[in-house]
Amino acid sequence: MTRSLLMIPGPVEVDSQVLEAMARPVVGHTSPGFVETFGACLDGLRDVFAAPDGQPFVIAGSGTLAMEIAVANIVEPGDRAVVVETGYFSARMADILRRHGAQVDMVHAQAGHVPDLAEVEAALAHGAKVLTVTHVDTSTGVLAPVKELAALARKHGALIVVDGVCAVGGQEFRQAEWDVDVCLTASQKALAVPPGLALVTARPRALETFQARKTPVASYYADWTLWLPIMQAYQARKPAYFATPAVSLVTALNESVKHINAEGMEARWARHTRLSAAFKAGVEALGIRQVPVNESVRAVTLTTMYYPEGVDSTLLGRISAAGVVVAGGLHPAIAAKSFRVGHMGVDGIGEVLRTLSAIEQGLGVKTGAGVAAAQARWVQQ
Ligand code: PMP
């Protein structure tokens, strides 16, 4: 069977050494070898999040669990939360906040746009415990200005929680320097590991807020009271148990984190920026319009696009027949009209050119214009 190239915005292609790490014999979660692996993984994640003072939590589950862990530990019933809406996943964050008793004030934007910062500030000025932002919303491909939003949160005394599921490990993000209190992600996107791990990094102000809670955390599995001693033990290279860690996935994550830190975050962000520019130049040359309204709000980890005139979602099947898997639309307002390509993790120019070639085949374009434009942009940079 010919293997397709997986270019959806998560899960993504995984390096063979990371896959090999997954396939090693299963070890006990308190064995000395695994204690070292988990400890090294947590240490390495501080560099990935650029949070030397952050406490990473790695817990079996998907990105949605990571969102719930962040909310459940910080929010208490009756707290006000401001949500910056940039797509489908901001709406999910609002649902989770409400489920944990928060009063949510959502600052809206149309698909492809970022809300006005002045409107976010006006919402914060009413008093809020937390501001939540989706760094890259995977349904729209919109990049939110996290650094600026973190400064606004600080000015108004709110904590900031960043959903970095489609960003961390690909999109420039400096958690400590930008003063972001909590950032969460999952294993299957720019960290280039199979799905199954929820990752959350909390900085001191968030942990202090958690420690000062008046009410217990409403979710048992998400409670930092139970997880914090476990993470601290593994960091101290001591065995500990609360709930069985996903040993094979953590071993794979540690392998990928080693690769990521060997590349270095600055180089990794630059590679993603360059790849994204090449891919976007390719789709522009094919006359395909992107969902984010301008370059300043376009993510580097994925590209979201409208189908060209006269084309519908049957294009996806033709791209797949050409050997590349891309994703359909997700945001309710544009789901039927849009499609998405992820270019993150271990992807290089080869994967980008192959994807553009498959899109050209799907569209019936015979000139190679998209591939040529991407290649030209790649070598120019
Ligand atoms: N937030 C964002 C920005 C996402 O892209 C996703 C997944 N596509 C999630 C949250 C939820 O993650 P999961 O599907 O792993 O639960």
Side-chain angles (χ1 to χ4, degrees):
M1 198 184 82
T2 326
R3 190 174 166 288
S4 295
L5 180 65
L6 188 58
M7 296 298 282
I8 64 175
V12 300
E13 287 288 325
V14 175
D15 181 87
S16 56
Q17 283 174 305
V18 175
L19 289 175
E20 181 276 325
M22 286 275 299
R24 286 179 209 156
V26 175
V27 292
H29 54 288
T30 55
S31 65
F34 182 71
V35 169
E36 177 53 38
T37 299
F38 204 168
C41 181
L42 293 166
D43 291 347
L45 282 172
R46 289 203 184 83
D47 293 330
V48 175
F49 284 83
D53 59 351
Q55 174 59 57
F57 295 82
V58 176
I59 297 173
S62 79
T64 306
L65 175 69
M67 296 167 82
E68 186 145 30
I69 290 171
V71 168
N73 286 283
I74 282 183
V75 168
E76 296 190 60
D79 285 343
R80 274 196 80 243
V82 175
V83 174
V84 178
E85 187 202 356
T86 49
Y88 180 92
F89 290 101
S90 325
R92 177 171 298 185
M93 188 63 100
D95 283 346
I96 297 171
L97 282 160
R98 285 190 202 101
R99 187 66 69 92
H100 285 272
Q103 290 172 17
V104 176
D105 187 353
M106 199 141 172
V107 187
H108 295 285
Q110 281 181 338
H113 294 256
V114 170
D116 199 359
L117 290 190
E119 280 181 44
V120 177
E121 176 147 30
L124 285 171
H126 293 132
K129 184 173 191 184
V130 60
L131 174 71
T132 72
V133 185
T134 315
H135 195 178
V136 170
D137 198 293
T138 326
S139 69
T140 55
V142 165
L143 172 71
V146 166
K147 189 178 169 186
E148 288 76 6
L149 288 163
L152 281 185
R154 194 83 317 118
K155 183 172 159 195
H156 292 278
L159 294 175
I160 177 165
V161 171
V162 173
D163 171 351
V165 172
C166 199
V168 172
Q171 193 80 48
E172 180 185 356
F173 176 69
R174 303 171 194 271
Q175 187 171 352
E177 196 183 312
W178 295 357
D179 211 1
V180 168
D181 299 297
V182 180
C183 179
L184 62 101
T185 189
S187 49
Q188 78 273 19
K189 305 232 181 193
L191 299 179
V193 173
L197 292 176
L199 290 85
V200 181
T201 296
R203 291 188 49 252
R205 203 181 292 113
L207 290 171
E208 283 156 23
T209 304
F210 155 72
Q211 264 135 12
R213 289 180 70 92
K214 295 192 184 67
T215 58
V217 174
S219 160
Y220 185 74
Y221 186 64
D223 191 347
W224 282 345
T225 316
L226 299 161
W227 285 114
L228 188 57
I230 305 302
M231 298 302 139
Q232 287 169 337
Y234 278 105
Q235 277 160 204
R237 304 301 191 266
K238 292 192 182 122
Y241 169 74
F242 157 55
T244 312
V247 286
S248 301
L249 278 167
V250 170
T251 305
L253 176 65
N254 185 43
E255 189 65 27
S256 193
V257 165
K258 274 196 266 177
H259 295 194
I260 292 170
N261 286 330
E263 182 177 15
M265 293 317 296
E266 301 285 343
R268 196 170 173 92
W269 295 329
R271 173 168 60 82
H272 280 77
T273 303
R274 188 174 171 206
L275 262 189
S276 169
F279 184 77
K280 288 173 172 64
V283 296
E284 265 162 39
L286 294 173
I288 295 173
R289 194 161 63 90
Q290 293 176 50
V291 174
V293 283
N294 62 52
E295 209 169 325
S296 71
V297 296
R298 283 181 190 150
V300 305
T301 46
L302 84 160
T303 302
T304 53
M305 299 150 278
Y306 291 108
Y307 295 118
E309 201 62 35
V311 176
D312 61 18
S313 62
T314 56
L315 174 66
L316 304 182
R318 296 194 296 277
I319 297 173
S320 170
V324 179
V325 182
V326 303
L330 179 60
H331 190 291
I334 55 169
K337 306 189 276 192
S338 61
F339 69 113
R340 303 170 298 144
V341 170
H343 28 71
M344 61 184 127
V346 295
D347 292 335
I349 186 63
E351 284 74 22
V352 157
L353 296 180
R354 193 170 149 197
T355 305
L356 285 162
S357 167
I359 293 174
E360 288 177 1
Q361 290 172 64
L363 289 171
V365 171
K366 299 217 163 43
T367 57
V371 172
Q375 170 74 359
R377 175 64 61 90
W378 178 257
V379 297
Q380 189 191 84
Q381 294 178 67

Short mmCIF file of all heavy atoms in Angstrom, two decimals, residues 62-64 67 89 92 134 136 138 163 165-166 186 188-189, ligand 1:
data_model
loop_
_atom_site.label_atom_id
_atom_site.label_comp_id
_atom_site.label_asym_id
_atom_site.label_seq_id
_atom_site.Cartn_x
_atom_site.Cartn_y
_atom_site.Cartn_z
N SER A 62 -6.41 14.41 25.16
CA SER A 62 -6.20 15.23 23.96
C SER A 62 -6.14 16.71 24.33
O SER A 62 -6.17 17.07 25.52
CB SER A 62 -7.31 14.97 22.94
OG SER A 62 -8.47 15.67 23.30
N GLY A 63 -6.06 17.56 23.33
CA GLY A 63 -5.97 19.00 23.56
C GLY A 63 -7.15 19.56 24.34
O GLY A 63 -7.00 20.50 25.13
N THR A 64 -8.31 18.96 24.15
CA THR A 64 -9.50 19.44 24.87
C THR A 64 -9.34 19.23 26.37
O THR A 64 -9.75 20.07 27.18
CB THR A 64 -10.76 18.73 24.33
OG1 THR A 64 -10.78 18.91 22.91
CG2 THR A 64 -12.04 19.28 24.93
N MET A 67 -7.25 22.02 27.61
CA MET A 67 -8.07 23.23 27.80
C MET A 67 -8.81 23.15 29.14
O MET A 67 -8.85 24.11 29.91
CB MET A 67 -9.10 23.36 26.66
CG MET A 67 -8.49 23.56 25.30
SD MET A 67 -9.69 23.33 23.95
CE MET A 67 -10.50 24.92 23.92
N PHE A 89 -12.39 27.06 18.08
CA PHE A 89 -11.81 26.63 19.35
C PHE A 89 -11.95 27.67 20.45
O PHE A 89 -11.91 27.33 21.63
CB PHE A 89 -10.37 26.14 19.15
CG PHE A 89 -10.37 24.84 18.40
CD1 PHE A 89 -10.08 24.80 17.03
CD2 PHE A 89 -10.74 23.67 19.02
CE1 PHE A 89 -10.14 23.60 16.33
CE2 PHE A 89 -10.81 22.47 18.32
CZ PHE A 89 -10.51 22.43 16.97
N ARG A 92 -15.21 26.73 21.87
CA ARG A 92 -15.07 25.57 22.77
C ARG A 92 -14.55 26.01 24.14
O ARG A 92 -15.02 25.54 25.18
CB ARG A 92 -14.12 24.54 22.15
CG ARG A 92 -13.89 23.35 23.07
CD ARG A 92 -13.14 22.23 22.41
NE ARG A 92 -13.88 21.69 21.29
CZ ARG A 92 -13.51 20.61 20.57
NH1 ARG A 92 -12.40 19.97 20.90
NH2 ARG A 92 -14.23 20.18 19.57
N THR A 134 -6.90 31.93 21.69
CA THR A 134 -6.43 30.81 20.89
C THR A 134 -5.29 31.36 20.03
O THR A 134 -5.54 32.22 19.18
CB THR A 134 -7.56 30.27 19.98
OG1 THR A 134 -8.75 30.18 20.76
CG2 THR A 134 -7.20 28.92 19.40
N VAL A 136 -3.37 30.11 17.61
CA VAL A 136 -3.72 29.87 16.20
C VAL A 136 -5.04 29.10 16.21
O VAL A 136 -5.11 27.99 16.74
CB VAL A 136 -2.66 29.02 15.49
CG1 VAL A 136 -3.16 28.58 14.11
CG2 VAL A 136 -1.35 29.81 15.35
N THR A 138 -7.42 26.78 14.56
CA THR A 138 -7.26 25.79 13.50
C THR A 138 -8.43 25.80 12.52
O THR A 138 -8.33 25.24 11.43
CB THR A 138 -7.10 24.40 14.15
OG1 THR A 138 -6.39 24.59 15.37
CG2 THR A 138 -6.34 23.44 13.28
N ASP A 163 -4.46 29.02 24.39
CA ASP A 163 -4.61 27.72 23.74
C ASP A 163 -3.60 27.70 22.60
O ASP A 163 -3.79 28.33 21.56
CB ASP A 163 -6.05 27.57 23.22
CG ASP A 163 -6.23 26.33 22.34
OD1 ASP A 163 -5.23 25.68 21.99
OD2 ASP A 163 -7.39 26.04 21.98
N VAL A 165 -2.63 24.90 21.03
CA VAL A 165 -2.67 23.54 20.46
C VAL A 165 -2.12 23.52 19.03
O VAL A 165 -1.36 22.63 18.67
CB VAL A 165 -4.10 22.94 20.53
CG1 VAL A 165 -4.17 21.63 19.77
CG2 VAL A 165 -4.52 22.71 21.98
N CYS A 166 -2.49 24.52 18.24
CA CYS A 166 -2.02 24.51 16.85
C CYS A 166 -0.83 25.45 16.66
O CYS A 166 -0.55 25.91 15.55
CB CYS A 166 -3.17 24.90 15.91
SG CYS A 166 -2.86 24.41 14.22
N ALA A 186 -1.21 20.05 22.70
CA ALA A 186 -1.41 18.61 22.62
C ALA A 186 -0.26 18.04 21.80
O ALA A 186 0.44 18.77 21.09
CB ALA A 186 -2.76 18.30 21.98
N GLN A 188 -0.15 16.13 19.13
CA GLN A 188 -0.27 15.75 17.71
C GLN A 188 -0.11 16.87 16.69
O GLN A 188 -0.39 16.67 15.52
CB GLN A 188 -1.62 15.06 17.49
CG GLN A 188 -2.84 15.98 17.41
CD GLN A 188 -3.46 16.31 18.74
OE1 GLN A 188 -2.84 16.17 19.76
NE2 GLN A 188 -4.70 16.79 18.75
N LYS A 189 0.35 18.04 17.13
CA LYS A 189 0.47 19.13 16.15
C LYS A 189 1.95 19.47 15.94
O LYS A 189 2.70 18.60 15.52
CB LYS A 189 -0.37 20.31 16.59
CG LYS A 189 -1.81 19.86 16.83
CD LYS A 189 -2.82 20.66 16.13
CE LYS A 189 -4.20 20.12 16.47
NZ LYS A 189 -5.24 20.61 15.64
N1 PMP B 1 -7.52 23.98 20.32
C1 PMP B 1 -7.08 24.07 19.07
C2 PMP B 1 -6.55 25.38 18.59
C3 PMP B 1 -7.10 22.95 18.25
O1 PMP B 1 -6.66 23.03 17.00
C4 PMP B 1 -7.58 21.73 18.73
C5 PMP B 1 -7.62 20.48 17.87
N2 PMP B 1 -7.76 20.64 16.54
C6 PMP B 1 -8.05 21.69 20.05
C7 PMP B 1 -7.97 22.84 20.82
C8 PMP B 1 -8.61 20.45 20.64
O2 PMP B 1 -7.64 19.45 20.65
P1 PMP B 1 -8.05 17.90 20.58
O3 PMP B 1 -8.73 17.68 19.28
O4 PMP B 1 -6.71 17.22 20.66
O5 PMP B 1 -8.91 17.62 21.74
#
